[in-house]
Amino acid sequence: MSYVNRVIKNVQTRYQDQPEFVQAVSEVLNSLHLVIEQNPDYERAGLLERLVEPERTLMFRVPWVDDGGQVQVNRGYRVQFNSAIGPYKGGLRFHPSVNLGVIKFLGFEQILKNSLTGLAIGGGKGGSDFDPHGKSDREIMTFCQSFMTELFKYIGQDTDVPAGDIGVGAREIGFLYGQYKRLTGLNEGVLTGKGLSYGGSLARAEATGYGLVYLTNELLKNHGSSLAGKTVVVSGAGNVATHAIEKCHELGAKVVTASDSSGWIHDPNGINLATVRRIKKTDRGRISKYLEFHPKANYTEGRGIWSVKCDIAMPCATQNELNAADAEALVKGGCLAVCEGANMPSTPEAINIFLKKGILFAPGKAANAGGVATSALEMSQNSMRQSWTFDEIDARLKIIMADIYRDISQAAKDFGEPDNLVLGANVASFRKVAEAMLAQGVI
Ligand code: NDP
Ligand code: 2IT
C-alpha cells in the first residue's frame, strides 16, 4: 500500500468518531500521490503522519451563569494544528454541532488555506458547542469571558491568534478581547476581527465574501466569462454570505437566494441585502421574515436551495451542505461554476460530479482565504501600530486572491489536470508547508 494510502487508512481507522476530520484529510491526501512519489524523503521524515496530528489539542470546561441564575456548562476547544509557517491562526466557532472532529477538520483545512495566502500564518481552530441563538447580550458576554479565562493561557499575538467563524462576530470578539486584556494587561493583536475603535482592520468584515467574489471573477475571466449579468445562488445569511451578495451585486450579477439553518428564500428579483441584514444582523431573527418585506419572494423550510437554476453557486453556510443530489440539480440547471465560501460545504461525491461534468469548481481553502489573509493584514497593522485605508486593504485582498488563483491553477497544470483546482489547491498549499516542516527538523 502506498505511503499516502497508509496514512489515510490509519486516520480512518483511528478517528471513526470524527467523520469531518477523516473527510478533510482524505480529500487532501488523495491529491498528494504524485508529490509524494516525487519526494521520497517525505516518507522517511514522517511528514504526513506529522501533518495529520495536531501539535496541541486543548479541551476545557466553560461554566457560565444564565439569566435565570442557572449554571450552564459548555465545552471549549482550541486545536493548535501546525505552526510550520507562522503562529497558529484560525477562527473560533460557537455552534451546538461543534465537537473535536469538527474543530480538527477546520484546523486541518486552515493549515493549507493559510499557506495559500502567502502570508506567515500557521493553522489552528477553536470554538465551543455553545449556541448563541436566543441568548441575551449579558449571557454572550458571560460565556465569552469564561471561555477566555481558560484560553488566554495558550494564545498571544506571536503564538496563536484566534478570530471569528460561525456564531462568532464583532460582538463576541469584543467580549473575548476585553477579557484577554483584563487577564493579561496586554493590548496586543491577540485576536483579529476586532472593532475598528480598538485595533481592528478596515475591510476584515467584508474580506471573506469579497475575496470569494474576486477569486470567482478570476476563474470566470480565465474561462472567457465574467460575473456581469449572471444569476447566483448563495446559501447562508451571515458574514460570508452577505458580503458575497454585496460584491456580486456590485459586479453586475444577480443573487436570488439566501438561507439560514431553518430554510431559504428565493427572490427572483434579486435579494434585497438591506432586508437580510436587518433581519439577521440587527434583529438576529429568522430569514423567513424576508417575506414580510418582499411578499413576492418564496420561502422554503429546510433544504433544497441548490434546486434553484443559476449560473454560479456559492455555498456560504456550513460543511456538507451541498450533496450529490444537489450537485446533479446544479448541473441539470446549467450551472457554470461552484465557488465555496464556507469550509468544505460540498461533499466528496458532489465534488466528483462537478469535476466529471466540467463545472468550474473553486474549493473553499482557496476561495474563502481572503478572510484569514485580511486577518494577517490586521496582525501586521497591530504590530506596526498603524491603520491602513479600506482601499489599500481591498487592493491587497484583490492581489492576494488573484495570486491564489494563479498558484492553484499553475499547480493543477503542473500535475496534468489543469481544470482540477481541488488538486491545484491541495498541492500548492502542501508544498509550502512540507518545505517549512522539513527545514525545521523533526518537531
Ligand atoms: P455566520 O455565523 O456569520 O453565518 C453562518 C450562516 O450559516 C448563518 O446564516 C447560519 O444560519 C447558517 N448556518 C450555520 N450553520 C448551519 C447549518 N448547520 N445548516 C444550515 N445553515 C447553517 O458565519 P460565517 O458567515 O462567518 O461562516 C459561514 C461559513 O464560512 C462557515 O463554513 C465558516 O467556517 C466559513 N468561513 C468564514 C470566514 C469568516 O471570515 N467569517 C472565513 C472563511 C470561511 P443561522 O442564522 O440559522 O445560524
Ligand atoms: O475559516 C476561516 O478562514 C476563518 N474563519 C477566518 C480565520 C481568521 O483567522 O481570520
Side-chain angles (χ1 to χ4, degrees):
M1 197 189 285
S2 73
Y3 177 38
V4 167
N5 284 341
R6 251 186 297 125
V7 176
I8 295 177
K9 195 154 194 297
N10 279 341
V11 169
Q12 280 168 346
T13 312
R14 196 159 168 193
Y15 300 114
Q16 286 170 17
D17 56 340
Q18 298 178 1
E20 294 89 356
F21 177 59
V22 171
Q23 183 183 335
V25 167
S26 306
E27 186 222 275
V28 170
L29 264 53
N30 269 319
S31 296
L32 301 181
H33 287 280
L34 264 180
V35 195
I36 299 290
E37 272 172 36
Q38 290 170 0
N39 295 277
D41 46 332
Y42 286 178
E43 180 172 356
R44 201 172 155 75
L47 203 82
L48 295 181
E49 292 89 334
R50 283 193 275 154
L51 187 72
V52 300
E53 185 71 33
E55 289 176 19
R56 194 169 298 103
T57 300
L58 306 162
M59 284 202 269
F60 49 92
R61 180 172 69 199
V62 189
W64 57 283
V65 183
D66 71 18
D67 284 347
Q70 175 65 46
V71 173
Q72 302 283 349
V73 178
N74 287 95
R75 185 168 294 167
Y77 301 88
R78 185 73 182 166
V79 174
Q80 300 181 327
F81 221 122
N82 191 300
S83 62
I85 293 182
Y88 310 108
K89 182 82 197 88
L92 298 172
R93 176 177 291 191
F94 292 170
H95 193 273
S97 64
V98 163
N99 57 43
L100 184 58
V102 167
I103 298 298
K104 280 177 68 184
F105 118 66
L106 290 163
F108 184 74
E109 284 286 290
Q110 199 82 45
I111 305 168
L112 301 155
K113 179 196 310 197
N114 294 3
S115 163
L116 287 178
T117 66
L119 301 163
I121 39 179
K125 201 87 188 189
S128 175
D129 57 1
F130 173 73
D131 185 358
H133 290 110
K135 302 289 190 298
S136 69
D137 282 353
R138 194 207 64 83
E139 288 176 323
I140 298 283
M141 181 178 76
T142 307
F143 175 80
C144 288
Q145 289 178 340
S146 181
F147 184 86
M148 186 53 88
T149 299
E150 183 60 24
L151 186 67
F152 89 97
K153 302 168 195 165
Y154 309 101
I155 62 175
Q157 63 173 351
D158 296 315
T159 50
D160 184 356
V161 183
D165 193 81
I166 291 178
V168 178
R171 174 181 59 166
E172 291 74 20
I173 293 290
F175 294 144
L176 292 163
Y177 186 81
Q179 185 71 355
Y180 179 85
K181 190 180 54 162
R182 184 190 196 191
L183 291 164
T184 61
L186 296 172
N187 243 311
E188 60 172 28
V190 67
L191 294 163
T192 59
K194 298 185 290 299
L196 294 177
S197 55
Y198 61 95
S201 173
L202 286 162
R204 173 60 189 92
E206 291 83 356
T208 311
Y210 280 21
L212 166 67
V213 179
Y214 294 152
L215 189 129
T216 304
N217 220 12
E218 286 296 314
L219 175 68
L220 294 174
K221 198 170 77 191
N222 277 276
H223 289 82
S225 186
S226 81
L227 270 162
K230 297 289 189 297
T231 299
V232 185
V233 165
V234 170
S235 65
N239 173 276
V240 180
T242 52
H243 292 106
I245 294 172
E246 184 173 274
K247 188 53 79 176
C248 279
H249 285 169
E250 218 177 289
L251 297 184
K254 184 164 78 170
V255 179
V256 294
T257 59
S259 68
D260 64 15
S261 49
S262 304
W264 53 281
I265 44 168
H266 180 206
D267 189 342
N269 293 322
I271 288 292
N272 185 309
L273 192 53
T275 306
V276 172
R277 284 193 165 131
R278 180 169 161 190
I279 297 166
K280 297 300 298 181
K281 203 173 164 197
T282 313
D283 299 343
R284 297 183 189 272
R286 307 315 300 158
I287 198 77
S288 53
K289 219 168 184 286
Y290 188 91
L291 295 196
E292 290 177 21
F293 301 91
H294 308 282
K296 287 200 176 127
N298 300 300
Y299 174 73
T300 309
E301 191 82 12
R303 300 188 90 263
I305 194 170
W306 310 113
S307 63
V308 175
K309 208 168 138 45
C310 64
D311 301 306
I312 296 159
M314 294 183 176
C316 296
T318 194
Q319 64 270 11
N320 292 327
E321 57 168 307
L322 197 166
N323 63 24
D326 300 324
E328 295 286 8
L330 284 169
V331 171
K332 204 167 139 214
C335 178
L336 183 73
V338 178
C339 299
E340 296 185 326
N343 285 306
M344 206 170 77
S346 311
T347 64
E349 297 76 22
I351 296 174
N352 279 338
I353 291 168
F354 296 141
L355 294 178
K356 230 192 282 154
K357 299 278 169 75
I359 308 281
L360 302 174
F361 178 72
K365 69 170 69 64
N368 71 36
V372 75
T374 307
S375 278
L377 300 181
E378 182 172 331
M379 290 163 70
S380 300
Q381 293 168 80
N382 291 162
S383 298
M384 299 163 82
R385 303 210 182 281
Q386 284 185 357
S387 319
W388 302 335
T389 65
F390 189 98
D391 288 349
E392 263 177 288
I393 298 161
D394 193 36
R396 281 177 191 251
L397 174 62
K398 270 187 200 145
I399 294 171
I400 290 168
M401 298 316 293
D403 287 352
I404 291 176
Y405 179 73
R406 182 201 60 209
D407 291 350
I408 65 172
S409 40
Q410 187 58 50
K413 274 189 207 122
D414 291 347
F415 284 80
E417 293 187 47
D419 293 325
N420 186 345
L421 296 181
V422 174
L423 176 74
N426 289 335
V427 167
S429 57
F430 170 75
R431 279 197 291 209
K432 186 174 163 192
V433 179
E435 196 182 311
M437 286 176 72
L438 278 187
Q440 292 172 31
V442 181
I443 54 171

